[in-house]
């Protein structure tokens, strides 16, 4: 099962004891803050949940998967996402800890 934004808003609303519209507004605000931080090259750490880091990737030579022809891939920035300890525990089947 893949959770969509509305599913997350509903679950967050239930956990926080607020209505779904409020949870959706908060999700939109968090998304805007994360996009703004990435655009500014800032790292984000939500302890125990996740961290986002903007990483510079140098130019490199790659291969076209269809033709096998060598091609130059331009330098650029990417966002690297790392799960927090709570996500790692949940993926292993351990019970998550809630704050």
């Amino acid at each position: 099962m893949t959770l969509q934004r509305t599913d997350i808003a509903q679950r967050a609303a239930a956990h926080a004891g607020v209505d779904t519209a409020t949870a959706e507004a908060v999700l939109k605000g968090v998304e805007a803050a994360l996009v703004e931080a990435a655009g500014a090259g800032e790292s984000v750490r939500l302890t125990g949940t996740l961290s986002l880091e903007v990483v510079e990737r140098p130019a490199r030579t790659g291969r076209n998967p269809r033709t096998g022809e060598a091609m130059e891939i331009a330098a650029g920035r990417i966002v690297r996402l790392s799960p927090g300890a709570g996500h790692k525990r949940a993926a292993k089947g351990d019970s998550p800890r809630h704050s």
Side-chain angles (χ1 to χ4, degrees):
M1 177 180 171
T2 300
L3 292 178
Q4 301 296 323
R5 174 188 215 104
T6 54
D7 302 321
I8 294 170
Q10 289 170 350
R11 289 184 184 193
H15 283 284
V18 298
D19 61 279
T20 304
T22 300
E24 178 67 32
V26 171
L27 280 176
K28 285 180 182 178
V30 169
E31 179 183 15
L34 293 174
V35 169
E36 182 180 298
E42 299 173 324
S43 294
V44 176
R45 302 224 187 292
L46 299 175
T47 304
T49 303
L50 65 86
S51 39
L52 300 168
E53 182 179 12
V54 177
V55 179
E56 297 286 335
R57 292 186 69 177
R60 61 199 186 281
T61 302
R63 296 233 173 252
N64 181 325
R66 288 186 185 215
T67 65
E69 180 182 343
M71 57 188 281
E72 192 63 26
I73 301 171
R77 295 183 344 173
I78 62 164
V79 175
R80 185 173 292 149
L81 171 70
S82 300
H87 293 281
K88 291 177 184 177
R89 279 193 303 274
K92 287 181 183 177
D94 295 344
S95 61
R97 296 181 188 148
H98 297 287
S99 47

